[in-house]
Amino acid sequence: MANTTKHKTIWFCNACGAESPKWMGRCPACGEWNSMVEETVVTGKKTSISNILNSQNHKPTPLSSVDTQAEQRISLGNGELDRLLGGGLVEGSLVLIGGEPGIGKSTLSLQIPLHCPDIRTLYVSGEESVRQVKLRAKRLGGNEDNCFIYSETQMENILQQAREVAPQLMIVDSVQTMYSQALESAAGSVSQIKESAAMLLRFAKESGIPVILIGHITKEGSIAGPKILEHIVDVVFQFEGENKGSYRLLRSIKNRFGSTNELAVFEMTGSGLREVSNPSEMLIPMHEEGMSGVAVSVTMDGTRAFLIETQALVSSAAYGTPQRSATGFDGKRLNMLLAVLEKKAGFRLGAKDVFINMAGGLRVNEPACDLAVVCAVLSSNFDFSIPADTCFAGEVGLSGEIRPVYQVDRRITEAARLGFKRIYVSSFSAISENHKGIKVVKIKDIPALCRDLFAQQD
Ligand code: TYD
Ligand code: MG
């Protein structure tokens, strides 16, 4: 035989997919500890991809003659998802939706064909039987025409069926269950995950059929998955949210055809995921007048402004070392803000426990929330309440100055629209619009902020 195959053991990093001929305690590529797993690969044999997909004779093309008119976007019948994609799904793109088990990936992906019966869809499930998918579809409601269900895990079969069905959209749930005959390792191993994704990518690019791929991530990141695929696929969305809570946030991490850092909000209901097109109204739960430790922040995610409630609890430390805990906010940043408060305004918070929580299970990583965090901490520490019609948008600098935030006009407009009467921003903000119905309070630094807040209490 001309093909001499040889079995070889290779070590793969679970976190980034790097290869190594021997085991290492720490991955040299990404620096992760204890992430190397052993896998047997076959060398000397032609990989399946070229056998299965008769790749066309590609030649380099002059850039000027490439036609972009043909770029078609397919609407998925879901406003939030379309917006996140940058106006719909691009033909021939490979979209990865990652998230922890049970967060709603299968639900969302099955809702797509049910909500757009005009699109001929092939839904491949490697986790559930056809019957199980049908039961779920019944629960979700919608139009079942034009949706083909296929329960299969072998990539070669899937691609063959995909060519026969000729769908306009293919959904594969999940990449961890898929395997290619060409490799000997088990489904879910790093090499199988990479190979399956590469096969789907080739399929999408050659046929022009967009593919939505589902991938699991575990909290510990112990199962190889979406992380190692991020550079292969065109778009990466990640589900976030408390499993117990009903809100689910879909964040765009990578998008070759649109902007990243966009966020879509969904609510898990008895009949699937419901779009929450105005997150402000959902993220501020009944904010009662007179509660201390609560401040509302105006934050931006991508192009959209929304309001989020920041809660703080400051209490005397029961044990020696005070605790600092932040849910939905960067713990290091919280420490920095407390240090600024201590140094610039003389508040002795060093011996206090400080807890911060962003309502609704949202994670913010925007410095514009600093001001609301500082105000919530002060409000809890001195037990005074911030009026419910007041909100904040400003970054706090190391010397206690309040720094301006981007898109300040948009934030003020959103706050005014939701009935807020007062917004605190940096005195260095460049406000170009004349905002009606809301008082814009410009604050220079932390001492000025404290004077203003405490003056209102008298
Ligand atoms: P699922 O989509 O199966 O999660 P994943 O594919 O990410 O593992 O959804 C899991 C949870 O959602 C499950 O605990 C049940 C719940 N759920 C609802 O609350 N309402 C529904 O209509 C459906 C289909 C699921
Ligand atoms: Mg699932």
Side-chain angles (χ1 to χ4, degrees), residues 110-117 136-138 140-144 147:
L110 187 58
Q111 262 177 298
I112 295 169
L114 294 175
H115 288 171
C116 31
R136 188 194 291 257
K138 265 187 158 167
L140 296 175
N143 194 328
E144 294 178 8
C147 176

Side-chain angles (χ1 to χ4, degrees), residues 100-107 136 139-140 216 268-272:
E100 287 167 19
I103 201 151
K105 301 180 297 295
S106 304
T107 306
R136 188 194 291 257
R139 186 170 171 192
L140 296 175
H216 295 292
M268 184 61 95
T269 65
S271 55

Side-chain angles (χ1 to χ4, degrees), residues 52-338:
I52 294 156
L53 304 162
N54 35 353
S55 47
Q56 300 141 6
N57 257 344
H58 285 306
K59 287 216 176 83
T61 323
L63 186 58
S64 53
S65 69
V66 178
D67 183 18
T68 53
Q69 293 295 314
E71 189 195 271
Q72 293 271 329
R73 292 221 181 219
I74 304 169
S75 165
L76 295 179
N78 185 318
E80 287 289 281
L81 212 50
D82 284 346
R83 189 177 57 79
L84 209 59
L85 284 162
L89 196 58
V90 173
E91 273 188 2
S93 62
L94 180 58
V95 178
L96 176 70
I97 300 182
E100 287 167 19
I103 201 151
K105 301 180 297 295
S106 304
T107 306
L108 181 70
S109 57
L110 187 58
Q111 262 177 298
I112 295 169
L114 294 175
H115 288 171
C116 31
D118 297 341
I119 302 177
R120 189 177 166 89
T121 314
L122 175 61
Y123 184 93
V124 183
S125 179
E127 303 191 337
E128 290 163 84
S129 66
V130 173
R131 228 181 86 83
Q132 276 173 309
V133 177
K134 169 79 186 179
L135 286 174
R136 188 194 291 257
K138 265 187 158 167
R139 186 170 171 192
L140 296 175
N143 194 328
E144 294 178 8
D145 301 343
N146 244 344
C147 176
F148 291 78
I149 304 290
Y150 186 37
S151 184
E152 175 62 68
T153 54
Q154 204 202 73
M155 284 308 303
E156 285 78 8
N157 288 345
I158 292 170
L159 293 184
Q160 196 195 342
Q161 290 305 322
R163 255 180 235 105
E164 272 173 33
V165 173
Q168 289 159 291
L169 168 67
M170 179 151 102
I171 299 169
V172 179
D173 183 10
S174 64
V175 68
Q176 273 91 357
T177 55
M178 299 299 151
Y179 74 97
S180 159
Q181 259 183 336
L183 301 181
E184 296 201 349
S185 46
S189 62
V190 181
S191 44
Q192 285 288 10
I193 288 176
K194 276 182 159 178
E195 174 77 1
S196 304
M199 288 171 87
L200 286 169
L201 184 72
R202 294 259 192 122
F203 171 76
K205 299 292 168 219
E206 288 178 8
S207 64
I209 299 170
V211 177
I212 296 178
L213 184 59
I214 308 293
H216 295 292
I217 310 174
T218 60
K219 275 215 169 79
E220 306 77 36
S222 59
I223 294 182
K227 272 266 163 262
I228 55 173
L229 298 181
E230 272 173 21
H231 58 280
I232 302 180
V233 301
D234 297 311
V235 179
V236 181
F237 290 163
Q238 192 165 329
F239 254 118
E240 293 173 4
E242 293 298 317
N243 251 343
K244 300 282 179 296
S246 58
Y247 293 118
R248 301 285 190 267
L249 308 162
L250 195 62
R251 195 182 289 279
S252 161
I253 294 178
K254 168 179 175 178
N255 192 348
R256 285 191 180 143
F257 318 107
S259 67
T260 50
N261 284 328
E262 287 278 352
L263 188 78
V265 184
F266 295 96
E267 188 189 7
M268 184 61 95
T269 65
S271 55
L273 289 160
R274 185 181 69 84
E275 298 171 47
V276 178
S277 42
N278 184 3
S280 295
E281 284 152 27
M282 311 296 293
L283 292 169
I284 299 181
M286 304 59 32
H287 182 163
E288 270 181 43
E289 189 78 45
M291 271 196 324
S292 67
V294 178
V296 175
S297 177
V298 191
T299 179
M300 297 284 298
D301 231 303
T303 53
R304 203 165 51 161
F306 62 92
L307 287 94
I308 170 166
E309 194 180 270
T310 308
Q311 302 166 340
L313 179 67
V314 181
S315 65
S316 299
Y319 306 102
T321 319
Q323 290 189 60
R324 307 260 182 264
S325 155
T327 311
F329 189 75
D330 182 14
K332 286 199 186 107
R333 192 143 191 109
L334 172 62
N335 283 335
M336 187 278 274
L337 293 176
L338 295 177

